[in-house]
C-alpha cells in the first residue's frame, strides 16, 4: 500500500464542504472510480492506494476539483468528467494533462473547454488546421466542440458564415418522404447541430442567423459545384457519406475556410454494398500535410457513465467475434 498526504488551500469551510459533498459523497465517488481510500480532517487529506500511480492521479484530481470550487458548485457529473482521463491504464498521460494549459473556446454560453487529452488536442487542431477529422463513438464531444469553434470563429469575424452539412441517411429505418422545403426536409438530420447552436447562442438568435443566411443548412447532395470561402463548415455523420460524396465535399474548401468532418465508423447506416466515404478517405489522405485527425475512444465519452460502458461492451464484443464495423 502507498499513501500520500496533501493540504488544500485556502482552508475555506464552504469550499471544502462543496468539494467533499453531502456526507462525503464526492470523496466516495472518487474512491470508487480510482480504487483508493481518502481520509481527511479539515483541509488535510490522505490518499491510500495499491500503487503510487493511482495515489498520484487521485491527488492531482483532488487538487483540480478543489480549484474548481472557487467558481463552480461540484456535482457528480462534473466529478465524473474530471476523472475521465484518470483511468488506471493512462495515469502518466493524465498527470501531464492536468499540468497542461487548457484550451478554452469563448461563446455567449461562456468558456467551453475540452475534457481530457483527446478533446484538448481536437480543439488545438481545429484552431491550427483548415481540414479536421474527429472520429469516434457517440458522446465524445466531436460535434459539440466543432459547433463551439464555429461560433467563436464567427463572433471573432474569422469567417462570415457557418455551414452545416449532413448526409440524409436514416439510422436503420425508412422514414419515407418528408414534407416541406429543402431546409425542412434536412432539419431532422441536423438536430444535434441545432441543439448545440441553440444552447450556445439562444433560439431566437439562431433563427435570425438562419433567416439572414449567416448560418446555412446545406444538404450534402447539393454541395457539388460550390466553392466555400470565409466559412466554417461542419460535416456531421460523415460515416454515412459515399466515397464520391466525401471527395466532393473536401474539394469544396475555399480560402479563409475551416472544415470539420465528424463521424463514427462503427455506426454506418449505408446499404451494405456501399463503402463508407469516411472509412475510405482516412486511408487515402492520412499522409496529406495540413489535415488533422483526432481519434476518440470509449474512455473519451462525456455522457452518462453507462454510455461509456455500453460503447466499451460493443467494442469488446466485436473484437471477440472478429466483427468489423
Amino acid at each position: 500500500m502507498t499513501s500520500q498526504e496533501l493540504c488544500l488551500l485556502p482552508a475555506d469551510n464552504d469550499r471544502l464542504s462543496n468539494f467533499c459533498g453531502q456526507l462525503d459523497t464526492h470523496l466516495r465517488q472518487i474512491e470508487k472510480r480510482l480504487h483508493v481510500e481518502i481520509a481527511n480532517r479539515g483541509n488535510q487529506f490522505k490518499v491510500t492506494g495499491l500503487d503510487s500511480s493511482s495515489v498520484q492521479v487521485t491527488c492531482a484530481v483532488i487538487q483540480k476539483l478543489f480549484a474548481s470550487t472557487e467558481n463552480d458548485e461540484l456535482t457528480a457529473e462534473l466529478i465524473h468528467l474530471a476523472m475521465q482521463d484518470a483511468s488506471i491504464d493512462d495515469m502518466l498521460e493524465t498527470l501531464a494533462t492536468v499540468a497542461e494549459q487548457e484550451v478554452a473556446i469563448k461563446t455567449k454560453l461562456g468558456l467551453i473547454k475540452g475534457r481530457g487529452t483527446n478533446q484538448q488536442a481536437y480543439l488545438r487542431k481545429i484552431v491550427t488546421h483548415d481540414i479536421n477529422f474527429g472520429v469516434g463513438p457517440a458522446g465524445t464531444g466531436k460535434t459539440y466542440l466543432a459547433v463551439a469553434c464555429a461560433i467563436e470563429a464567427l463572433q471573432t469575424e474569422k469567417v462570415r458564415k457557418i455551414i452545416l452539412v449532413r448526409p440524409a441517411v436514416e439510422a436503420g429505418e425508412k422514414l419515407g418522404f418528408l414534407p416541406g422545403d429543402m431546409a425542412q426536409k434536412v432539419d431532422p438530420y441536423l438536430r444535434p447541430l441545432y441543439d448545440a447552436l441553440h444552447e450556445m447562442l439562444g433560439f431566437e438568435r439562431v433563427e435570425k442567423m438562419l433567416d439572414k443566411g449567416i448560418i446555412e443548412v446545406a444538404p450534402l447532395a447539393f454541395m457539388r459545384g460550390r466553392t466555400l470561402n470565409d466559412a466554417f463548415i461542419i460535416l456531421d455523420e460523415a460515416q454515412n457519406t459515399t466515397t464520391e460524396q466525401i471527395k466532393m465535399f473536401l474539394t469544396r474548401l475555399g480560402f479563409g475556410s475551416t472544415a470539420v468532418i465528424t463521424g463514427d465508423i462503427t455506426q454506418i447506416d449505408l446499404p451494405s454494398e456501399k463503402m463508407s466515404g469516411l472509412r475510405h478517405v482516412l486511408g487515402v489522405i492520412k499522409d496529406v500535410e495540413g489535415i488533422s485527425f483526432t481519434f476518440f475512444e470509449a474512455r473519451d465519452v462525456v455522457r452518462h457513465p453507462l454510455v461509456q460502458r455500453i460503447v466499451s461492451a460493443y467494442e469488446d464484443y466485436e473484437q471477440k467475434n472478429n466483427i468489423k464495423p
Side-chain angles (χ1 to χ4, degrees):
M1 298 291 285
T2 305
S3 63
Q4 183 174 330
E5 296 184 2
L6 68 157
C7 179
L8 298 181
L9 296 173
D12 184 313
N13 287 335
D14 289 336
R15 286 183 61 178
L16 286 167
S17 176
N18 178 16
F19 169 69
C20 295
Q22 189 175 13
L23 301 176
D24 290 341
T25 52
H26 295 165
L27 298 184
R28 302 293 84 82
Q29 182 180 354
I30 297 170
E31 286 179 335
K32 184 177 179 181
R33 176 66 183 272
L34 298 181
H35 309 289
V36 296
E37 292 182 0
I38 303 172
N40 75 297
R41 178 174 292 179
N43 67 331
Q44 300 290 329
F45 286 75
K46 182 178 181 180
V47 180
T48 304
L50 292 175
D51 57 77
S52 59
S53 295
S54 62
V55 172
Q56 275 187 296
V57 169
T58 303
C59 290
V61 169
I62 286 174
Q63 290 172 329
K64 181 178 179 181
L65 287 171
F66 184 73
S68 72
T69 61
E70 183 176 2
N71 300 309
D72 299 325
E73 184 73 23
L74 274 191
T75 63
E77 180 186 11
L78 288 175
I79 293 171
H80 165 69
L81 293 171
M83 293 191 295
Q84 277 300 107
D85 272 359
S87 62
I88 303 301
D89 298 332
D90 201 20
M91 288 182 173
L92 295 178
E93 183 180 350
T94 301
L95 287 172
T97 302
V98 171
E100 189 176 308
Q101 185 178 5
E102 291 184 321
V103 175
I105 298 296
K106 294 181 180 179
T107 70
K108 290 293 183 181
L109 184 68
L111 286 178
I112 295 177
K113 300 177 182 180
R115 305 281 189 177
T117 309
N118 260 355
Q119 286 197 1
Q120 284 285 312
Y122 185 50
L123 289 174
R124 290 191 199 95
K125 290 172 183 176
I126 291 175
V127 171
T128 56
H129 293 75
D130 291 335
I131 297 179
N132 307 271
F133 285 82
V135 182
T140 49
K142 307 182 300 294
T143 302
Y144 188 85
L145 292 176
V147 172
C149 290
I151 290 172
E152 187 195 41
L154 185 66
Q155 292 176 338
T156 56
E157 298 183 352
K158 294 176 183 175
V159 299
R160 290 188 289 111
K161 67 190 307 182
I162 296 172
I163 302 176
L164 310 177
V165 186
R166 191 170 178 177
V169 177
E170 296 96 341
E173 56 185 312
K174 298 297 181 183
L175 302 179
F177 293 103
L178 296 172
D181 58 24
M182 186 54 63
Q184 290 171 327
K185 290 178 187 293
V186 180
D187 273 0
Y189 301 103
L190 293 166
R191 184 48 51 191
L193 295 167
Y194 280 135
D195 288 344
L197 285 170
H198 290 153
E199 182 178 337
M200 296 177 204
L201 292 175
F203 182 83
E204 290 185 3
R205 191 171 180 200
V206 171
E207 292 304 306
K208 287 179 181 178
M209 287 182 168
L210 284 166
D211 290 340
K212 293 179 180 179
I214 298 173
I215 298 175
E216 179 185 346
V217 176
L220 180 59
F222 284 44
M223 292 287 287
R224 188 174 297 281
R226 299 185 62 180
T227 300
L228 305 173
N229 295 315
D230 300 315
F232 197 109
I233 313 115
I234 300 173
L235 172 59
D236 196 28
E237 299 290 342
Q239 76 274 8
N240 289 329
T241 61
T242 64
T243 55
E244 297 83 5
Q245 285 177 328
I246 195 83
K247 178 183 177 183
M248 178 269 291
F249 174 82
L250 291 173
T251 54
R252 299 306 95 204
L253 193 71
F255 292 104
S257 291
T258 298
V260 179
I261 300 97
T262 68
D264 177 4
I265 56 175
T266 68
Q267 296 195 42
I268 298 171
D269 300 311
L270 291 170
S272 57
E273 68 273 11
K274 285 186 176 290
M275 183 175 187
S276 167
L278 178 60
R279 179 183 287 174
H280 179 258
V281 79
L282 291 175
V284 173
I285 64 172
K286 61 182 179 180
D287 297 321
V288 175
E289 186 179 351
I291 299 177
S292 82
F293 301 88
T294 305
F295 296 94
F296 296 92
E297 301 173 2
R299 65 186 178 90
D300 297 308
V301 172
V302 292
R303 291 181 183 168
H304 192 287
L306 273 177
V307 175
Q308 188 179 48
R309 294 175 207 156
I310 291 168
V311 172
S312 297
Y314 269 97
E315 289 178 353
D316 293 342
Y317 177 81
E318 288 165 359
Q319 288 177 359
K320 289 176 183 176
N321 294 276
N322 198 26
I323 299 173
K324 294 184 179 180

